[in-house]
Amino acid sequence: MDLLNTGQIDAMASDTPELLLPIVSDFEASGRESLSKLHEALTEMRYDEAKAILHQLKGAAGTMGMVEFQELCRECEDQVAAHTIPPRFGELGGLMIQSVHGAAAYLRGEQTPP
C-alpha cells in the first residue's frame, strides 16, 4: 500500500498547495494530542472513547490522502470496537509523522507522485 494518495492530496489542494500545508502541519499537532488521549482511553479501557478518537483520526487521514495511516486507524478501530487493545497501537504515532512529513514534502513539490 502506498503511504499517500496523491490524487486525494491534489484534490484537497485545488492547485493551491500552500493553503493545505498549514492544515497538514496542524494535523501533526492535533494528531499527537489525539494519540495521547487514545493511549489514556485504552489504558483505562474506555473503548467507546478510544473508538471515537480512532474514527476521527481515520477520517482526517483519509481526507488528507494519508491512506496507510487511515488503514491502520481502521484496523485499530475495528479491534477497539471488539474491546481489544490493538497490537499495532504503537505504530500509529510513527506512521502519522511519516504520513504528515510525506504529504508536506509532496505539497512543497519535493516528492514526485508514484
Side-chain angles (χ1 to χ4, degrees):
M1 171 181 293
D2 291 331
L3 180 67
L4 304 171
N5 175 341
T6 54
Q8 178 64 25
I9 295 172
D10 289 339
M12 285 295 298
S14 295
D15 296 324
T16 54
E18 65 278 0
L19 296 179
L20 188 57
L21 264 167
I23 294 168
V24 169
S25 295
D26 287 347
F27 179 67
E28 181 175 354
S30 67
R32 285 179 191 265
E33 186 177 322
S34 292
L35 289 175
S36 176
K37 289 178 183 177
L38 175 61
H39 182 267
E40 239 177 72
L42 288 173
T43 300
E44 297 173 8
M45 293 194 259
R46 297 188 321 255
Y47 293 108
D48 289 342
E49 182 180 338
K51 183 177 181 276
I53 293 166
L54 284 162
H55 186 78
Q56 185 177 40
L57 284 169
K58 177 184 74 178
T63 298
M64 290 188 283
M66 300 175 188
V67 291
E68 194 172 336
F69 181 62
Q70 177 189 24
E71 186 54 40
L72 182 54
C73 288
R74 176 179 292 115
E75 178 184 316
C76 291
E77 181 184 13
D78 289 346
Q79 292 162 346
V80 166
H83 291 206
T84 302
I85 303 292
R88 295 183 64 199
F89 168 76
E91 297 175 38
L92 286 167
L95 185 55
M96 181 193 69
I97 299 301
Q98 183 183 3
S99 299
V100 166
H101 292 186
Y106 178 75
L107 287 166
R108 288 190 302 266
E110 298 168 1
Q111 190 176 62
T112 56

